[in-house]
C-alpha cells in the first residue's frame, strides 16, 4: 500500500500541496484583517488540521500564533486573549460556546466545526460541534480568500503561555531568528529531534503545549507525514505506528506508563520496528519505566532537558542513558549549562546547584508585558527555570530537585501560586498551601492544604467545586485537606517542605 504523505488528522488527510494552498489563502485573509509582523493570532483548539493551518498562516504573516490551552475556563481564556493582544481567534465550535464572554470587542473569531473524531474522543454533542448561526466559518472564510503573495519573513515561534509563579500566565515572546541562528537550529534539531526529510511523525500530545507544537510545525517542513492524535490512547498509538509506518514521535513519560500497562499480548501484537527516534522530555521519567521502553523499542528513545524559555540544552540517546542511568544527557553543541550556588558561583562536579543555561542558536525572548519577570531569572546572560541538578565526572547532567514552586503532572507545568490565589479568593479560607504529591501515572498530582478562617467551616468537596468554575480541570487539587493551621518560618513563609516531604520520603524521588 502506498504510504500517505501530508497532514493526517482523524479521517481528514491533506496533501502538502493542499495544505500550502490553504495556508497561503489564510495568510491572505489575515492580512486583510490587519494582521502583520509582530501581531498575534490566538488558537483555541484541540488537535486538528486547522490548528496547524492557522499557525502556519500566522507565521507567514510574521505574526505570533498564540495557542491557548483548551482546558482553560472562560476567565483564563479571557486573560490570555487580552494579555497577548490577539486580534484574531481561531476556535473550535464547541470551545467557542464554552467561553462566550472571553472575547473583547474588535476580536475577529473564525469558527472551526469540531470534527467527528474529536466529538467521539471527548463526548461532544453534534449540535455543539456545528458553527453557530451568524458566526464566521473557518473553512468558508479560507476558501473565500485570495492567496498571500508576500514573501514570508524568517519564522518566529509560537508564543506559548506558561503558568506563572506570580499567579498569572506569562507569554514567552521569542525574537525573530537571524540567518545564522536558523542554520544552527536546523543542525541542532536534526540531532535532538531526529528531523530528516521524509520523516513520518506522530503527534500524540496537545498542540497547545510548547514541545508538541514546535515539534509538529517543524516536522511539517520535512515533507513526509504528520499524524495528529485527537487524544492519547495507548493501543490507538500503536495501531497508528503500525498502519502508517511511523518513524518519529514526541512523547512524555505518562504515555510510556500507559503503554506499559497494556497487556503484553496487546503490546507485542503491533509492529513498531519503524520507530527510529522517539523524543521525550517535559517531566522526569522513572528509571524502571525508561528501561522497559528502551528494551521494547530497541533504543529508539532519546531525551533532552530544556524549557519553553531555553530550548534543548542537553541530550542523550538510549545507550548513553543505560550507561548513565537517570541522566538527562550531556550539554549539546552551542549550549552553556552551569550549576551555581546561592551566590552565583559555579559549584564543583558532583555537587548540586541551580541550573543556569543558554543556547546560542536559540533567539532570546521576553515575557509578554512582563519584562521584569524575564530579568529576574537571568544571571550574567544565563537563564534559569528553577531546576536543581549536578554533573557527573563524565559530563552527564542529573536533575534532582526544583527550586521554584512548580508541579509537573503528565508533562504539564502547574504553578501552585495560581491555584493558591484562587483558593484565597474563596469565602472562609484563612490560609492555604498547594504542592505536588506522587502519582504513579502522572508523576505528580496537585494537593491543597487549607486552614479555614476563624469561625468558618470548609469541606474539601466544596472547595474543589468552587475552584472548578475558575480553573482548568488539570489544575484542580486531586486531594484537599482541611487543617487548623499551617507551619510557618519565622519570616512568615509557609514551610511547604514540611507539608510535602512526608509524601515523597518512600518514593526514592525528590522534587
Amino acid at each position: 500500500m502506498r504510504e500517505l504523505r501530508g497532514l493526517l488528522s482523524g479521517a481528514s488527510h491533506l496533501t502538502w500541496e493542499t495544505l500550502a494552498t490553504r495556508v497561503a489563502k489564510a495568510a491572505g485573509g489575515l492580512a486583510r484583517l490587519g494582521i502583520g509582523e509582530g501581531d498575534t493570532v490566538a488558537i483555541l483548539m484541540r488537535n486538528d488540521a486547522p490548528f496547524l493551518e492557522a499557525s502556519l498562516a500566522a507565521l507567514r504573516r510574521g505574526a505570533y500564533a498564540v495557542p491557548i490551552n483548551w482546558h482553560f475556563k472562560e476567565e483564563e481564556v479571557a486573560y490570555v486573549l487580552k494579555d497577548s493582544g490577539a486580534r484574531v481567534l481561531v476556535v473550535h465550535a464547541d470551545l467557542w460556546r464554552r467561553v462566550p464572554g472571553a472575547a473583547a470587542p474588535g476580536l475577529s473569531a473564525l469558527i472551526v466545526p469540531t470534527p467527528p473524531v474529536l466529538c467521539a474522543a471527548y463526548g461532544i454533542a453534534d449540535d455543539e460541534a456545528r458553527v453557530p448561526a451568524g458566526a464566521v466559518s473557518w473553512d468558508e472564510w479560507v476558501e473565500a480568500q485570495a492567496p498571500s503573495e508576500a514573501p514570508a519573513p524568517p519564522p518566529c515561534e509560537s508564543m506559548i503561555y506558561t503558568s506563572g509563579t506570580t499567579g498569572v500566565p506569562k507569554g514567552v515572546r521569542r525574537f525573530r531568528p537571524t540567518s545564522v541562528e536558523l542554520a544552527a537550529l536546523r543542525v541542532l534539531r536534526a540531532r535532538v529531534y531526529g528531523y530528516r526529510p521524509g520523516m513520518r511523525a506522530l503527534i500524540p500530545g496537545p498542540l497547545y503545549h510548547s514541545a508538541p507544537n514546535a515539534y509538529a510545525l517543524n516536522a511539517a517542513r520535512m515533507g513526509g507525514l504528520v499524524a495528529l492524535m485527537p487524544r492519547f490512547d495507548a493501543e490507538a498509538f500503536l495501531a497508528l505506528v503500525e498502519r502508517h509506518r511511523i518513524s518519529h514521535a514526541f512523547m512524555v513519560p505518562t504515555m510510556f506508563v500507559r503503554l506499559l500497562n497494556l497487556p503484553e499480548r496487546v503490546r507485542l501484537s503491533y509492529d513498531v520496528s519503524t520507530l527510529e527516534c522517539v523524543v521525550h522530555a517535559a517531566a522526569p521519567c522513572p528509571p524502571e519505566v525508561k528501561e522497559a521502553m528502551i528494551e521494547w523499542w530497541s533504543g529508539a528513545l532519546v531525551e533532552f532537558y530544556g524549557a519553553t524559555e531555553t530550548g534543548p540544552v542537553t541530550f542523550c540517546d538510549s545507550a548513553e542513558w543505560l550507561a548513565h542511568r537517570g541522566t538527562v544527557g550531556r550539554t549539546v553543541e552551542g549550549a552553556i549549562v552551569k550549576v551555581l550556588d546561592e551566590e552565583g558561583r559555579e559549584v564543583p562536579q558532583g555537587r548540586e546547584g541551580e541550573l543556569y543555561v543558554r543556547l546560542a542558536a536559540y533567539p532570546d525572548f521576553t515575557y509578554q508585558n512582563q519584562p521584569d519577570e524575564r530579568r529576574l531569572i537571568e544571571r550574567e546572560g544565563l537563564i534559569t527555570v528553577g531546576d536543581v541538578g549536578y554533573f557527573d565526572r563524565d559530563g552527564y547532567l542529573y536533575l534532582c530537585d526544583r527550586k521554584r514552586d512548580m508541579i509537573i503532572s503528565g508533562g504539564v507545568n502547574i504553578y501552585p501560586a495560581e491555584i493558591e490565589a484562587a483558593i484565597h479568593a474563596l469565602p472562609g479560607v484563612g490560609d492555604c498551601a498547594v504542592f505536588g504529591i506522587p502519582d504513579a501515572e502522572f508523576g505528580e498530582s496537585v494537593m491543597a492544604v487549607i486552614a479555614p478562617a476563624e469561625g468558618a467551616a470548609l469541606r474539601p468537596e466544596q472547595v474543589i467545586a468552587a475552584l472548578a468554575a475558575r480553573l482548568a480541570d488539570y489544575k484542580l487539587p486531586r486531594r484537599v485537606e482541611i487543617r487548623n493551621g499551617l507551619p510557618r518560618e519565622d519570616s512568615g513563609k509557609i514551610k511547604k517542605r514540611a507539608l510535602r516531604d512526608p509524601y515523597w520520603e518512600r518514593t526514592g524521588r525528590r522534587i
Side-chain angles (χ1 to χ4, degrees), residues 43 138 161:
I43 302 170
W138 167 260
Y161 270 75

Side-chain angles (χ1 to χ4, degrees), residues 187-341:
V187 174
L188 176 70
R189 286 167 175 161
R191 168 168 164 69
V192 174
Y193 304 110
Y195 292 141
R196 62 166 176 78
M199 64 185 282
R200 304 181 64 77
L202 181 56
I203 314 296
L207 289 173
Y208 64 72
H209 197 286
S210 60
N213 184 278
Y215 189 87
L217 288 171
N218 284 288
R221 300 183 176 106
M222 296 293 108
L225 177 74
V226 174
L228 306 178
M229 292 190 72
R231 69 186 304 172
F232 181 75
D233 174 88
E235 188 170 359
F237 176 91
L238 297 177
L240 286 168
V241 170
E242 179 178 88
R243 183 181 311 133
H244 296 293
R245 300 183 58 78
I246 296 299
S247 59
H248 291 67
F250 186 98
M251 306 182 73
V252 296
T254 296
M255 297 173 182
F256 299 153
V257 172
R258 292 181 180 178
L259 284 164
L260 292 169
N261 282 340
L262 289 172
E264 186 176 24
R265 59 176 178 77
V266 174
R267 286 196 288 114
L268 300 184
S269 68
Y270 291 95
D271 180 7
V272 295
S273 62
T274 56
L275 290 174
E276 61 184 69
C277 184
V278 178
V279 189
H280 79 92
C285 186
E288 63 276 10
V289 170
K290 182 150 183 176
E291 285 177 340
M293 291 302 300
I294 290 173
E295 181 179 358
W296 180 15
W297 286 358
S298 302
L301 255 62
V302 301
E303 181 175 3
F304 72 85
Y305 165 69
T308 302
E309 290 86 343
T310 68
V313 294
T314 71
F315 172 83
C316 71
D317 60 25
S318 292
E320 289 177 297
W321 189 90
L322 289 172
H324 299 81
R325 193 173 185 268
T327 185
V328 292
R330 300 181 71 177
T331 305
V332 301
E333 186 176 352
I336 299 172
V337 180
K338 291 188 177 183
V339 184
L340 306 182
D341 64 16

Side-chain angles (χ1 to χ4, degrees), residues 309-385:
E309 290 86 343
T310 68
V313 294
T314 71
F315 172 83
C316 71
D317 60 25
S318 292
E320 289 177 297
W321 189 90
L322 289 172
H324 299 81
R325 193 173 185 268
T327 185
V328 292
R330 300 181 71 177
T331 305
V332 301
E333 186 176 352
I336 299 172
V337 180
K338 291 188 177 183
V339 184
L340 306 182
D341 64 16
E342 293 286 347
E343 284 72 43
R345 298 171 299 201
E346 200 161 359
V347 304
Q349 171 197 105
R351 185 177 298 176
E352 300 173 4
E354 188 169 3
L355 304 179
Y356 280 80
V357 310
R358 188 64 183 265
L359 182 59
Y362 222 40
D364 204 356
F365 73 97
T366 187
Y367 288 124
Q368 177 83 345
N369 300 324
Q370 298 187 61
D372 289 344
E373 288 291 314
R374 165 67 175 78
R375 287 190 284 272
L376 287 174
I377 63 171
E378 182 174 352
R379 191 190 287 270
E380 297 181 358
L382 303 180
I383 296 295
T384 183
V385 291

